[in-house]
Amino acid sequence: MSLKTEKTTLALSAKDIPQEAFDWYDEYAHGDIDRRTFLSRLGALSVAGLTLSVVAGALTPNYALAEQVSFNDPDITASYVEFDTPNGHGKGRGYLVIPKNVDSSNKAPAVLVAHENRGLNPYIEDVARRLAKAGFIAFAPDALFPLGGYPGNDDEGRAMQKSMDGSKIVGDFMDAATLLKSHSLATGKVGMVGFCFGGFLTNHLAANMPDTINAGAPYYGTPAKSNIDKIKAPLQIHLAELDKRVNATWVGYEKELKANKVDYTAYIYPTANHGFHNDSTARYQEDNAELAWERTISFFKQNLNT
């Protein structure tokens, strides 16, 4: 079965999954309920033609579906690099992807990529490669590096990240942004895109590193907790219509952005669930995801190439 066929099958089966299942998965993925409760609730659903294993499988990431840009694509060079994080855990590691045509005489703007609450998984690595294909230096740190790195599955990754000092994770990403600002192949312009927890990080760094972050694109992320009045970067905010948890924070955040005259644009994608950009699960919505990504790339080109 081809990758395209697998994605199509996944998308078609998603239409038969009740919204409650997506809501419960969001609770489970963010630690509000445990796996046993999640599966118990799914088992109680009456879903015609779909078994518990099929529904659970559709909601659980299959990262074989998430590769849009090959790791050995001839237009990019990808590597894992370690870097100093004096404001975090002391040492960090991330996935650095550089366009092949970038060198000391042909520099490019950089984009920091922030993962969800489970470490640097294959989907986020692919996002970094997509950015490099679009002409940006992309760097995706792994918050789990101090514990050995992303373990290969999301359940363990979530548990690992939950056990860590959140302020040190924030420090790691702040130091990664500083690294990109002064990278020898970069122009000094830094954008940031993040998903879920990474969306929060994007909001947070825009507020707390206003002289470093030049453009921010948070996807379904909760607001920065302080210094919203310090934001200088334009923000392009992506929200999912059915994302109750994050959307509950949006009204207050938007008021603060307006009150502080922050340059922002917010898009709310119809019938979309939290995680709609992640093409490894049934939450993925191809049309909304592609539209959001086209907007993001255009936004970065507009704000980082000047």
Side-chain angles (χ1 to χ4, degrees), residues 47-261:
V47 185
L50 296 177
T51 64
L52 168 61
S53 61
V54 168
V55 177
L59 293 171
T60 302
N62 177 359
Y63 289 122
L65 303 178
E67 185 178 86
Q68 293 188 20
V69 179
S70 172
F71 70 93
N72 58 4
D73 187 288
D75 293 332
I76 63 175
T77 299
S79 61
Y80 296 94
V81 299
E82 293 188 11
F83 62 106
D84 293 329
T85 62
N87 293 298
H89 289 92
K91 185 70 72 174
R93 184 175 186 261
Y95 188 59
L96 180 67
V97 193
I98 300 176
K100 274 287 177 62
N101 65 344
V102 169
D103 56 33
S104 58
S105 62
N106 182 40
K107 298 184 178 185
V111 177
L112 181 63
V113 184
H115 59 67
E116 309 120 316
N117 65 339
R118 62 211 68 171
L120 180 60
N121 59 47
Y123 155 64
I124 297 297
E125 291 185 342
D126 195 68
V127 168
R129 292 194 294 270
R130 296 174 208 175
L131 283 161
K133 283 284 285 187
F136 302 97
I137 295 171
F139 188 49
D142 186 356
L144 303 185
F145 174 69
L147 300 182
Y150 176 69
N153 71 83
D154 281 16
D155 283 345
E156 187 177 347
R158 273 191 295 266
M160 290 168 66
Q161 190 162 322
K162 188 176 182 180
S163 74
M164 299 175 71
D165 183 336
S167 65
K168 288 188 177 181
I169 292 176
V170 171
D172 290 339
F173 276 84
M174 294 179 78
D175 289 329
T178 300
L179 172 83
L180 288 182
K181 191 76 171 179
S182 60
H183 193 283
S184 62
L185 299 181
T187 61
K189 289 291 186 73
V190 178
M192 186 169 180
V193 61
F195 305 86
C196 184
F197 172 73
F200 158 73
L201 284 177
T202 303
N203 286 321
H204 181 85
L205 265 64
N208 290 276
M209 302 185 76
D211 296 321
T212 300
I213 302 300
N214 301 110
Y219 278 65
Y220 27 86
T222 53
K225 297 177 181 178
S226 62
N227 295 328
I228 293 174
D229 60 317
K230 301 295 193 299
I231 296 175
K232 296 180 182 178
L235 299 178
Q236 187 182 82
I237 297 165
H238 302 274
L239 300 168
E241 181 184 26
L242 303 178
D243 187 355
K244 298 175 183 177
R245 181 181 57 85
V246 171
N247 292 351
T249 69
W250 170 237
V251 174
Y253 189 32
E254 185 174 36
K255 286 181 179 178
E256 290 197 62
L257 293 174
K258 288 181 176 178
N260 290 289
K261 296 182 172 55

